[in-house]
């Protein structure tokens, strides 16, 4: 183990035979739908690989004057329908393959929402808990400089993901703008409103998740007020989703973060949990609730399970113990390809990530449009337009799933891959 891995606290557990990486999952999903829809082999092969992948080393100064170097990535999976779009993740387990998978899912997501972007993703293999804010700022600015040749409002537009937030976006926007010599707000989305961010972007992914819960319950004829919800991950997406669903009348019975989880059958109050988390940095030890592990949260008796943390949490090992009737994937890739089959066989209704969490990129698209036009919208306008796009996308996917007897995931991929394939065939192959 080299010095960096040590500092990162990376796990060195051996992989077992059933292990499925995010990249394995993404490719298996694409291959399955390519066969189902009879995709042209040349287009299928093109879509299996990333258009561009940049690996950079990110050296930066620590507060004590020493130097630390981490590996960073930016991958553009596809830009046939428009500029590349996708978040930047800071996490010790970030790898090139993970970023490639996340970029591919972004391509399908934008196509399903009919947003004129291709898919991208970026990341730095860093444990943010080991660094001060000043160190993270220097690291971010250096990472932004290293990926500068790829990004820009017409090329590739980053956004927040795990452990990155609007402040990180502001640093990237500033670094890019300093290089250009003028302000370029459209280079990132999910930035503060004071520098060209959009109203409604902070809660957009969670709001979209809520709309997908509503749409599904309506289809299944389940009244909203009777619904119990469990949410894994209490960050930007999971925390907001808990609040929105609680406010809408659902009973949020369990939540968790990386440290552990909470259960209360009568329901939890997200506002009180937010206050508790602000003080201690975690949801654990919240008074009046039973402590549970992240594994237990996934297997809890509830109507709606919302994984909102990281990929690969529901696998062949625990899929047959999941009791939720409905899973809405706020996280990207929380269910492996093989686990998905087990859940579908058991009758679980799954709203797949590429549909369920597309509220974030949809409002990011609105932010980019507002930046380019230098004309800003009200929060109400943003939320109304978001709702329309997501309800239409849900209806498209549900209709195709019903018509062709597909799972919601297969139908979503069919639509996403189909739209990208059509764009490829329409443009033709250069030269
Ligand atoms: P975040 O960093 O704000 O929050 C992540 C949360 O997950 C934290 O509460 C963290 O403690 C918890 N967590 C991390 N590892 C965990 C683990 N192994 N087990 C249980 N909990 C764990 O990140 P976020 O922006 O909320 O993103 C969460 C997920 O949603 C990611 O999969 C991301 O790709 C996806 N997503 C985010 C957006 C967005 O707009 N931020 C948009 C679409 C999809």
């Amino acid at each position: 183990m080299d010095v960096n891995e040590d500092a990162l606290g990376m796990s060195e557990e051996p992989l077992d035979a059933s292990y499925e990486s995010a990249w394995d999952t993404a490719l298996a999903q694409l291959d399955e739908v390519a066969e189902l829809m009879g995709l042209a082999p040349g287009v299928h092969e093109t879509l299996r690989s990333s258009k561009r992948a940049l690996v950079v080393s990110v050296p930066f100064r620590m507060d004590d004057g020493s130097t630390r170097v981490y590996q960073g990535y930016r991958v553009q999976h596809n830009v046939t329908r428009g500029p590349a779009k996708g978040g930047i993740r800071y996490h010790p387990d970030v790898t090139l393959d993970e970023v490639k998978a996340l970029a591919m899912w972004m391509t399908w997501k934008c196509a399903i929402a009919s947003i004129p972007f291709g898919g991208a993703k970026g990341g730095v293999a860093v444990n943010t808990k080991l660094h001060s804010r000043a160190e993270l700022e220097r690291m971010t600015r250096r990472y932004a400089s290293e990926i500068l040749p790829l990004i820009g409002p017409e090329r590739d537009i980053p956004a927040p993901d795990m452990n990155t937030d609007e402040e990180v976006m502001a640093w990237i926007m500033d670094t890019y703008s300093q290089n250009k010599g003028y302000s370029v707000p459209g280079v990132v989305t999910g930035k503060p409103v004071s520098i060209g961010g959009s109203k409604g972007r902070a809660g957009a992914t969670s709001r979209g998740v809520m709309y997908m819960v509503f749409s599904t319950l309506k289809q299944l004829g389940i009244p909203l007020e009777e619904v119990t919800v469990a949410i894994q991950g209490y960050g930007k997406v999971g925390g907001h989703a808990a609040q929105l669903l609680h406010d809408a009348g659902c009973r949020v019975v369990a939540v968790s973060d990386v440290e552990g989880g909470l259960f209360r059958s009568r329901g939890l109050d997200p506002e009180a949990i937010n206050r508790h988390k602000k003080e201690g940095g975690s949801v654990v030890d919240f008074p009046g609730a039973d402590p549970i592990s992240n594994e237990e949260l996934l297997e809890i008796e509830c109507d709606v399970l919302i994984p909102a943390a990281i990929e690969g949490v529901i696998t062949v090992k625990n899929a047959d113990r999941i009791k939720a009737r409905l899973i809405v994937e706020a996280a990207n890739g929380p269910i492996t390809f093989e686990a998905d089959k087990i859940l579908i066989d058991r009758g679980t209704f799954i709203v797949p990530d590429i549909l369920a969490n597309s509220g974030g990129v949809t409002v990011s698209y609105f932010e980019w449009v507002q930046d380019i036009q230098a004309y800003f919208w009200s929060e109400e306008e943003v939320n109304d337009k978001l709702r329309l796009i997501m309800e239409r996308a849900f209806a498209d996917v549900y209709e195709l799933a019903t018509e062709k007897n597909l799972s919601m995931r297969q139908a979503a991929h069919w639509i996403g891959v189909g739209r990208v394939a059509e764009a490829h065939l329409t443009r033709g192959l250069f030269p």
Side-chain angles (χ1 to χ4, degrees), residues 69-315:
V69 187
Y70 291 134
Q71 196 104 99
Y73 309 90
R74 185 73 188 171
V75 173
Q76 296 173 353
H77 170 254
N78 193 283
V79 293
T80 307
R81 297 179 61 262
K85 186 86 190 77
I88 288 174
R89 176 174 294 194
Y90 289 168
H91 194 281
D93 296 338
V94 164
T95 62
L96 179 58
D97 267 1
E98 184 194 43
V99 178
K100 280 163 63 181
L102 292 163
M104 183 184 274
W105 286 325
M106 284 304 296
T107 302
W108 315 144
K109 200 180 296 181
C110 293
I112 294 163
S114 294
I115 289 169
F117 285 143
K121 206 80 182 191
V124 178
V126 56
N127 183 347
T128 51
K129 290 194 176 128
L130 300 177
H131 294 288
S132 68
R133 215 58 201 162
E135 288 170 353
L136 288 176
E137 176 173 355
R138 291 191 287 273
M139 187 197 79
T140 298
R141 288 182 179 279
R142 184 58 188 252
Y143 168 70
S145 302
E146 297 297 341
I147 64 165
L148 209 83
L150 287 196
I151 63 173
E154 319 81 14
R155 296 171 171 209
D156 181 353
I157 306 118
D161 193 79
M162 285 187 80
N163 297 315
T164 55
D165 55 17
E166 57 176 37
E167 192 176 20
V168 171
M169 293 307 115
W171 296 332
I172 296 175
M173 181 270 198
D174 185 65
T175 304
Y176 187 87
S177 300
Q178 294 298 337
N179 271 273
K180 290 283 166 191
Y182 52 90
S183 289
V184 188
V187 66
V188 290
T189 58
K191 59 192 170 292
V193 171
S194 59
I195 53 169
S198 175
K199 289 190 175 138
R201 174 60 183 90
T205 308
S206 320
R207 184 169 289 277
V209 166
M210 176 180 74
Y211 293 150
M212 293 300 90
V213 172
F214 291 173
S215 294
T216 310
L217 294 178
K218 200 168 152 198
Q219 279 300 340
L220 304 181
I222 305 171
L224 185 68
E225 299 73 29
E226 290 170 18
V227 161
T228 53
V229 183
I231 304 178
Q232 182 189 52
Y234 206 80
K236 296 186 295 296
V237 177
H240 258 109
Q243 185 74 62
L244 287 169
L245 288 166
H246 170 83
D247 294 349
C250 301
R251 186 148 45 99
V252 180
V253 293
V255 299
S256 73
D257 60 26
V258 71
E259 315 274 333
L262 311 169
F263 173 75
R264 188 167 182 264
S265 59
R266 279 188 294 146
L268 295 157
D269 173 9
E271 231 168 87
I273 296 175
N274 291 341
R275 281 196 298 274
H276 173 79
K277 191 184 151 196
K278 223 174 202 169
E279 282 165 22
S282 168
V283 301
V284 298
D285 296 331
F286 179 73
D290 299 327
I292 53 169
S293 68
N294 263 296
E295 291 72 33
E296 287 167 332
L297 179 136
L298 295 170
E299 296 167 18
I300 228 152
E301 199 85 51
C302 65
D303 299 306
V304 184
L305 174 63
I306 303 182
I310 198 151
E311 54 273 10
V313 293
I314 301 178
T315 68

Side-chain angles (χ1 to χ4, degrees), residues 369-388:
V369 168
Q370 292 170 78
D371 287 337
I372 286 174
Q373 299 186 340
Y375 179 71
F376 291 88
W377 313 347
S378 70
E379 186 159 353
E380 203 177 25
E381 197 174 350
V382 168
N383 292 346
D384 286 348
K385 286 191 161 83
L386 169 65
R387 186 180 195 127
L388 280 178

